[in-house]
Amino acid sequence: MSAAPGTRLLLASVLVVATCGLVYELIAATMASYLLGDSVTQWSLVIGVYLSAMGLGSWLSKFVVTGLHARFIAVQLVIAAVGGLSAVALFYGYAYLASVRPLLFSILVIVGTMVGLEIPLLMRIVGDGQELKDTVARVLAFDYVGALLASLLFPLALLPHLGLVRTALLCGLFNAAVALACAWVFREHLPRPRAALAQAALVCAALAGGLVFGGRLERLAERELYDAPVIFSEKTAYQRLTITRSGADIRLYIDGNLQFASSDEHRYHEALVHPALAGAAPRRALVLGGGDGLAVRELLKYPGLERVDLVDLDPGMTRLFGRDPLLVRINHGSLSDPRVHVHNADAMRWLEEHVRTASDPYDVAVVDLPDPNNFSLGKLYTGSFYRLLRRALGPAGVGVVQATSPYLAPRSFWCVVKTLAAAELHPRPYHAHVPSFGDWGFVLVSPAPRPEPTHLADVPLRFLDDALLPTLFVFPRDQQPPDVDANRLNDQLLVHYYEEDLRALPGRGGRG
């Protein structure tokens, strides 16, 4: 057997194992953010634990002095099995375990330690008979190229097209294929070559089978997270959209967090839109978020409305709610109305451009964004964002902001109110009971002070009426404002308040 084919295989193995090793880390961090929230904390913990485990593996490699080829193949098979099944294991772990963190960190330690072992082993195998400087240069060059490939492939190709479960299975299959190829090429160096070939082939076959049925595995795993059957699930470039159905009740979840239930969403959306428009006759409306078209549906009840600009980051969201017959029935086809103009863009950048170009101001703005459970969303609750919103409104304009639950997330809610006050938007906080969410909070805003509304416009409503309207602005004694600071772009205190509120009341539902 010539040395060249073996050397080429080993260098190709470096590329593969480096790419897969980083992808496992990215999968774990994405899963942690998806299941546990607070993406910055989860990513930091995952990276720290994974790199520490790699350091442990590198240190342990010095104790491997014989049977390097066999040890390398065994390491590949462990990585293939544990890493390949990591995503589906975390899905089921989240559904059945009291806490998924021990499972998450166990996977990170095992895979990280094995990944830390494999590069030193490869260096020693490749370097047999070569100078150390040449070996290190060649192996690390392929290792870094593999890291680059992973960082490009994961967000641009693997995650959008395969999803988490199939991406993990595919990388596991690559690791197992490396083990199988090495078991064949280096069989003369193995004490039990047939056993090594059989083990590698078995793991390859199992992961290949999992990959073939990966979509079904992902759907089955995801269904364990929900109380009702999943009828649609898609990972867009920005988030995972999941729709469940139980009888007539349709529910939308974004990254596992409930956004609406068709049985009571009218309460939420009527409370969101109509107090702001009490006695008004808007011509131009802006909706930030709300890609489901339900807030737009309520706005379109006003006959004088001429234009609605809907700004939602995710084209997958607006496309789904603009085309799916079941969902179109819920939003009454609002996204297809000729008065509605959909802009798939970041809300803050869109507002910046609107203000920079001195575009026509709006009579009403509805800010219906998900809860501030990470810093990407938290920036849309800062004074910087609200000052842009103020400039987008006309002098007599009015807006409304969904502001989490004043009962379940009190520090978050009143932080939003204080931030709006600091942005000179004269906030008027109020709340309404939505059975799926509990007590939910909103804030009326306007560039000029306005009194609390007392009479609703003459439009068809199922929940609100003139008798109920004033009571929305009354808060009981156990919901008075706590001592909180305004949310600023440079510190994002709101995200920390939100996490503290969640820890205080872990059973909370809602729009996280």
Side-chain angles (χ1 to χ4, degrees):
M1 181 188 305
S2 64
T7 301
R8 287 197 295 268
L9 172 62
L10 289 172
L11 292 175
S13 298
V14 174
L15 186 66
V16 171
V17 300
T19 303
C20 293
L22 183 56
V23 169
Y24 295 131
E25 182 181 5
L26 295 172
I27 288 171
T30 304
M31 287 291 295
S33 299
Y34 175 31
L35 299 174
L36 302 173
D38 186 8
S39 58
V40 172
T41 300
Q42 305 310 328
W43 278 79
S44 297
L45 286 173
V46 166
I47 291 171
V49 171
Y50 192 79
L51 290 178
S52 298
M54 287 179 63
L56 174 63
S58 296
W59 180 76
L60 291 174
S61 67
K62 72 177 186 177
F63 298 105
V64 181
V65 294
T66 60
L68 298 182
H69 296 83
R71 298 293 186 271
F72 175 72
I73 291 168
V75 164
Q76 289 307 298
L77 294 179
V78 172
I79 295 174
V82 178
L85 297 174
S86 59
V88 71
L90 288 169
F91 268 122
Y92 280 107
Y94 185 77
Y96 291 111
L97 298 177
S99 172
V100 77
R101 291 183 190 274
L103 176 62
L104 170 66
F105 292 129
S106 296
I107 291 171
L108 286 171
V109 169
I110 293 171
V111 176
T113 301
M114 295 297 105
V115 170
L117 264 171
E118 64 187 359
I119 295 299
L121 291 179
L122 274 170
M123 281 188 175
R124 290 158 66 184
I125 297 171
V126 172
D128 188 19
Q130 299 184 37
E131 288 192 31
L132 178 61
K133 63 181 181 65
D134 295 330
T135 301
V136 172
R138 297 172 74 184
V139 171
L140 290 185
F142 278 87
D143 184 45
Y144 293 144
V145 170
L148 174 63
L149 284 175
S151 66
L152 294 175
L153 289 173
F154 182 75
L156 300 179
L158 297 174
L159 189 58
H161 298 291
L162 294 180
L164 291 166
V165 169
R166 284 185 291 176
T167 295
L169 288 165
L170 178 64
C171 288
L173 182 57
F174 277 128
N175 281 115
V178 166
L180 182 61
C182 289
W184 174 256
V185 171
F186 299 109
R187 58 190 180 277
E188 295 177 359
H189 298 271
L190 303 177
R192 300 172 59 196
R194 291 184 178 179
L197 284 166
Q199 291 168 359
L202 181 62
V203 175
C204 280
L207 291 170
L211 187 60
V212 170
F213 297 102
R216 185 177 301 176
L217 278 175
E218 190 164 12
R219 288 190 295 272
L220 289 173
E222 193 172 35
R223 284 171 185 167
E224 299 299 326
L225 304 178
Y226 304 101
D227 296 330
V230 175
I231 61 172
F232 175 86
S233 181
E234 179 185 30
K235 179 67 178 73
T236 72
Y238 301 99
Q239 58 201 352
R240 176 168 289 280
L241 305 177
T242 304
I243 297 173
T244 68
R245 180 171 188 171
S246 178
D249 187 40
I250 310 297
R251 299 192 172 210
L252 168 69
Y253 296 83
I254 293 180
D255 290 340
N257 298 297
L258 178 65
Q259 301 301 297
F260 75 76
S262 63
S263 58
D264 59 19
E265 59 79 15
H266 66 283
R267 286 186 168 224
Y268 174 91
H269 290 98
E270 286 185 12
L272 174 70
V273 171
H274 298 289
L277 295 178
R283 293 187 307 106
R284 291 173 52 83
L286 172 65
V287 179
L288 301 175
D292 51 31
L294 297 173
V296 175
R297 179 196 65 197
E298 297 301 313
L299 286 168
L300 292 176
K301 293 179 179 179
Y302 292 80
L305 193 66
E306 297 174 1
R307 180 184 178 99
V308 179
D309 284 304
L310 170 65
V311 182
D312 191 282
L313 179 64
D314 191 355
M317 178 81 161
T318 53
R319 184 169 54 248
L320 176 65
F321 279 84
R323 298 178 183 177
D324 185 274
L326 183 64
L327 303 176
V328 167
R329 284 200 296 272
I330 298 174
N331 65 25
H332 297 177
S334 61
L335 299 185
S336 299
D337 190 288
R339 293 171 289 176
V340 177
H341 303 266
V342 177
H343 310 272
N344 293 122
D346 177 87
M348 193 164 194
R349 291 185 179 179
W350 193 91
L351 274 181
E352 288 172 347
E353 181 66 15
H354 178 85
V355 170
R356 186 187 66 81
T357 56
S359 300
D360 292 339
Y362 291 97
D363 303 307
V364 60
V366 178
V367 183
D368 187 23
L369 297 163
D371 285 358
N373 62 5
N374 60 61
F375 292 108
S376 296
L377 288 168
K379 74 174 185 179
L380 305 179
Y381 288 81
T382 59
S384 301
F385 180 79
Y386 291 143
R387 282 189 287 273
L388 289 170
L389 178 66
R390 186 178 188 274
R391 295 175 66 185
L393 286 169
V398 63
V400 61
V401 177
Q402 93 80 13
T404 79
S405 169
Y407 183 75
L408 298 172
R411 281 166 290 195
S412 304
F413 177 80
W414 293 106
C415 176
V416 173
V417 175
K418 191 161 188 175
T419 307
L420 289 164
E424 300 182 0
L425 275 167
H426 306 97
R428 293 278 187 174
Y430 66 102
H431 57 146
H433 181 69
V434 182
S436 295
F437 298 155
D439 187 43
W440 209 257
F442 311 87
V443 188
L444 287 184
V445 297
S446 56
R450 295 169 63 101
E452 292 176 1
T454 55
H455 298 288
L456 294 162
D458 185 19
V459 294
L461 300 172
R462 297 170 58 192
F463 170 57
L464 290 180
D465 58 29
D466 285 347
L468 179 61
L469 181 60
T471 69
L472 302 183
F473 293 85
V474 178
F475 287 83
R477 293 178 64 182
D478 63 352
Q479 287 183 260
Q480 296 307 300
D483 183 19
V484 293
D485 290 323
N487 187 40
R488 291 174 289 273
L489 196 58
N490 68 316
D491 56 29
Q492 297 238 21
L493 286 174
L494 177 58
V495 177
H496 300 293
Y497 287 142
Y498 187 81
E499 287 301 313
E500 292 170 4
D501 287 332
L502 286 188
R503 285 194 291 270
L505 286 166
R508 157 192 192 282
R511 297 169 54 83

